[in-house]
Amino acid sequence: MIQVHKANARHTVKMDWLESHLSFSFGPYYDSENIQFGPLRVFNDDTVQPDKGFGIHPHREAEIVSIVLKGQLKHEDSLGNSGTLHVGDVQVMSAGTGALHSEFNPSSTEETQFLQLWFLPNKRQLTPSYEDVSYDQEQLRNQLLPIISHTPSANVAKINQDVILYLSKLEQGKELTFDQPKGRKIYVFTIEGELRLNAETVVENRDAARVTDTENLHIKASEDSFFLLIDLPGGE
């Protein structure tokens, strides 16, 4: 089954420095029917204005992923990590027993766009940790490139959950097939462009598809497209 969640159906938060589109219940937005998809608990599509950002704040018992789509994102945390991410960079912070962090747009002229995802960890009371990696954007072309996994490798960050995150830039008319064992879930988010899933389901710019009971997902680009695919365990 493929359930499409349209971009304009997301809950939107607008402030003078932030525009955030929320795909799941988060903060003041609550929907008892939209809490999570498997261990994916938060999927926020954020735009941050120049010289603005999220001040230091606490987290615990969450695997927090940030994927930069435009501009820069400066990260600092209570673990002693500090650095600036750009397009082609991703970060994972395992909040575990508790960590403080901030995320800020250091540019004085350019806005920052990034995706922030939270996953429930596969174990509680983990020691907090942080990692950022860069991926080769040319390797996205017409293939699924893993960027985060529970079994990390070169240029693939580790996450404490049985998930794999892939990015891909699929040219118009090109096709991919994603196969996975029975009982797992797939989450597809179209960052740019338009995709057709299993020939019938259309996923447009900033739409998401929640896929269950589907072991073979066929993906075709109706136009040049950039998308995120997450392989998830079953459950809620």
Side-chain angles (χ1 to χ4, degrees), residues 1-5 37 180 184-187 197-198 201 209-217:
M1 183 177 71
I2 303 176
Q3 184 180 40
V4 175
H5 291 252
F37 184 65
Q180 67 173 4
R184 293 183 67 82
K185 299 183 176 186
I186 305 170
Y187 191 91
L197 306 180
N198 285 357
T201 303
R210 303 181 191 184
V211 184
T212 56
D213 302 317
T214 304
E215 295 178 47
N216 311 107
L217 183 66

Side-chain angles (χ1 to χ4, degrees), residues 81-97:
N81 301 294
S82 177
T84 301
L85 304 173
H86 302 83
V87 176
D89 296 334
V90 299
Q91 67 177 17
V92 181
M93 187 179 79
S94 179
T97 54

Side-chain angles (χ1 to χ4, degrees), residues 4-67:
V4 175
H5 291 252
K6 301 296 292 182
N8 59 11
R10 297 176 296 176
H11 183 81
T12 298
V13 175
K14 286 189 177 182
M15 292 178 267
D16 60 351
W17 64 275
L18 171 70
E19 181 170 325
S20 186
H21 302 284
L22 315 178
S23 295
F24 296 92
S25 291
F26 183 83
Y29 163 55
Y30 178 75
D31 179 352
S32 61
E33 301 299 316
N34 190 31
I35 301 296
Q36 63 192 84
F37 184 65
L40 177 59
R41 177 62 188 84
V42 169
F43 194 117
N44 293 351
D45 182 1
D46 293 339
T47 299
V48 180
Q49 294 305 306
D51 290 324
K52 303 293 183 180
F54 302 89
I56 195 78
H57 58 282
H59 289 288
R60 61 186 301 120
E61 304 299 353
E63 302 290 298
I64 301 171
V65 172
S66 297
I67 303 172

Side-chain angles (χ1 to χ4, degrees), residues 152-193:
S153 57
N155 301 319
V156 178
K158 177 179 172 57
I159 188 168
N160 293 298
Q161 181 52 265
D162 182 17
V163 301
I164 304 176
L165 282 71
Y166 301 87
L167 287 174
S168 179
K169 288 189 174 180
L170 196 58
E171 296 173 336
Q172 183 177 11
K174 297 291 187 180
E175 306 175 21
L176 290 170
T177 298
F178 183 75
D179 302 321
Q180 67 173 4
K182 185 177 181 180
R184 293 183 67 82
K185 299 183 176 186
I186 305 170
Y187 191 91
V188 176
F189 181 77
T190 306
I191 300 167
E192 297 173 3

Side-chain angles (χ1 to χ4, degrees), residues 68-112:
V68 179
L69 303 178
K70 177 184 177 182
Q72 307 171 57
L73 186 67
K74 183 174 176 59
H75 169 92
E76 293 184 348
D77 62 43
S78 57
L79 309 177
N81 301 294
S82 177
T84 301
L85 304 173
H86 302 83
V87 176
D89 296 334
V90 299
Q91 67 177 17
V92 181
M93 187 179 79
S94 179
T97 54
L100 302 169
H101 82 146
S102 65
E103 290 177 305
F104 190 82
N105 178 0
S107 172
S108 59
T109 58
E110 183 182 22
E111 67 183 20
T112 294

